[in-house]
Amino acid sequence: MSIDIRSMGYVRVASTDPEQWRHFATKVLGLAEGRGPHPDHLYFRIDAVSARLVVVPADVDQLACTGWEVADHRALQAAREHLKEAGVAYEEGTAEELDERRVQELVRFEDPFGNVFELFHGITYESRPVVTPYGARFVTGDQGMGHIVVPVDDDVEALRFYSEVLGFRLRDSMSMPGEFVGKEPGSKVWLRFLGVNPRHHSLAFLPMPNPARCVHIMLEVEELDDVGRALERVRKHGAPLSATLGRHMNDEMVSFYVRSPGGFDIEFGTDGLQVDDARWVARESTAVSYWGHDFSGGQ
């Protein structure tokens, strides 16, 4: 028995400068600014869901939480029981939080490394079609908002918690020398990529501390031209390019990475791999990418 998470539903970001986020989200990424219940929060749409990215004023710049969607009340109740059995403390969303997130129910908990997760159901969607500033269409639906990579302290415990407690399925692995993350020379640490739906991975983890509490968030668009146009906007607006255009080995995404005002990266890509769990075999990739993805930003 594990939790039946269907997709990554939303992310909430704490920001010392929400206006910087407004510029970055609309002018660089090309997200549509939406509306929401709280006058000081910024709400961004990429599809019919009322808000996929919410930016909240704060005294720090970091990821606040990630929202994961379950099917309905019964699924969330089963999740509550499973968390309790696994010894994971959780709290119920308050009436104000439900109203602000526009969901019917939610519970919040932390993983063993302090990353905040919210499980929810019943999020609202809009009658008004989303019109993004540059006409890009984002890949969502049953694949959810995209994927996220979070920092952890212990890759063994992370794999156990995310797979056995939360029900994520291992899709791919990549090893790196332990000394990269302060472990003893000759040791090995693992990056793991985990999925819950046809998207190759919705969650991955890197065993390395990170003050932004996020390594990157991936958004996928339907057309390669939309990736190219976004890359031109990165240059036009002087946003810091973290990695050049490339194609990943594991999920075959053609993408680039840009540094967000939150201190973590946004991966912006297209042509991501979809998998069938009944036929999928988890393997170890031997490189980050087939080509490109120079993480010096091309310098």
Side-chain angles (χ1 to χ4, degrees):
M1 160 93 183
S2 62
I3 297 169
D4 185 16
I5 294 173
R6 296 298 176 89
S7 69
M8 185 170 103
Y10 57 77
V11 293
R12 296 176 63 83
V13 175
S15 174
T16 60
D17 189 350
E19 283 306 311
Q20 192 179 15
W21 261 105
R22 189 197 304 270
H23 178 85
F24 177 75
T26 57
K27 300 296 186 184
V28 178
L29 300 181
L31 312 188
E33 189 166 359
R35 294 171 291 193
H38 199 294
D40 295 331
H41 296 181
L42 299 180
Y43 301 89
F44 298 99
R45 292 180 62 193
I46 58 175
D47 61 3
V49 171
S50 297
R52 291 289 196 177
L53 169 66
V54 180
V55 179
V56 179
D59 56 4
V60 292
D61 288 297
Q62 63 185 28
L63 180 73
C65 74
T66 313
W68 299 92
E69 189 164 24
V70 300
D72 52 24
H73 168 75
R74 181 180 294 179
L76 189 61
Q77 185 57 33
R80 289 183 179 97
E81 294 167 5
H82 186 71
L83 289 171
K84 188 174 181 179
E85 287 173 10
V88 178
Y90 65 85
E91 58 186 23
E92 296 289 335
T94 65
E96 291 79 12
E97 288 168 340
L98 300 183
D99 179 60
E100 202 268 329
R101 287 157 177 75
R102 288 172 281 188
V103 300
Q104 291 181 27
E105 286 184 282
L106 77 83
V107 298
R108 181 187 305 103
F109 61 92
E110 293 185 1
D111 73 3
F113 319 101
N115 299 305
V116 181
F117 290 74
E118 293 180 350
L119 299 176
F120 71 90
H121 76 86
I123 200 165
T124 62
Y125 59 105
E126 302 291 326
S127 61
R128 182 170 49 92
V130 66
V131 180
T132 60
Y134 304 100
R137 290 195 301 261
F138 287 83
V139 177
T140 58
D142 62 358
Q143 297 188 64
M145 175 183 176
H147 76 234
I148 192 163
V149 183
V150 295
V152 301
D153 302 328
D154 181 340
D155 52 342
V156 176
E157 172 59 14
L159 181 60
R160 183 203 69 81
F161 182 82
Y162 296 141
S163 58
E164 294 181 14
V165 177
L166 300 189
F168 285 88
R169 299 182 285 280
L170 181 64
R171 296 276 172 77
D172 203 87
S173 301
M174 188 164 56
S175 65
M176 57 189 284
E179 51 263 41
F180 283 11
V181 296
K183 306 283 187 185
E184 59 275 10
S187 64
K188 182 186 286 190
V189 293
W190 290 96
L191 288 73
R192 305 284 192 181
F193 302 85
L194 305 117
V196 288
N197 57 47
R199 194 182 293 283
H200 176 273
H201 59 278
S202 295
L203 175 72
F205 60 79
L206 181 69
M208 186 183 294
N210 182 315
R213 309 197 70 80
C214 177
V215 180
H216 74 254
I217 295 166
M218 187 283 299
L219 299 173
E220 183 178 1
V221 289
E222 291 184 0
E223 303 291 340
L224 179 61
D225 285 345
D226 292 322
V227 177
R229 293 184 185 110
L231 193 51
E232 288 188 344
R233 296 194 299 273
V234 167
R235 295 193 184 100
K236 176 182 177 182
H237 293 281
L241 187 68
S242 301
T244 59
L245 193 70
R247 186 187 285 274
H248 280 306
M249 274 191 76
N250 58 14
D251 67 354
E252 301 180 6
M253 186 81 67
V254 177
S255 63
F256 67 85
Y257 291 71
V258 60
R259 183 56 51 94
S260 77
F264 53 82
D265 286 342
I266 300 293
E267 180 185 5
F268 197 95
T270 192
D271 201 24
L273 183 66
Q274 296 184 42
V275 306
D276 174 1
D277 273 309
R279 303 170 61 86
W280 186 254
V281 176
R283 292 178 174 169
E284 179 186 351
S285 53
T286 53
V288 173
S289 304
Y290 288 117
W291 55 267
H293 286 143
D294 175 0
F295 279 88
S296 69
Q299 300 301 313

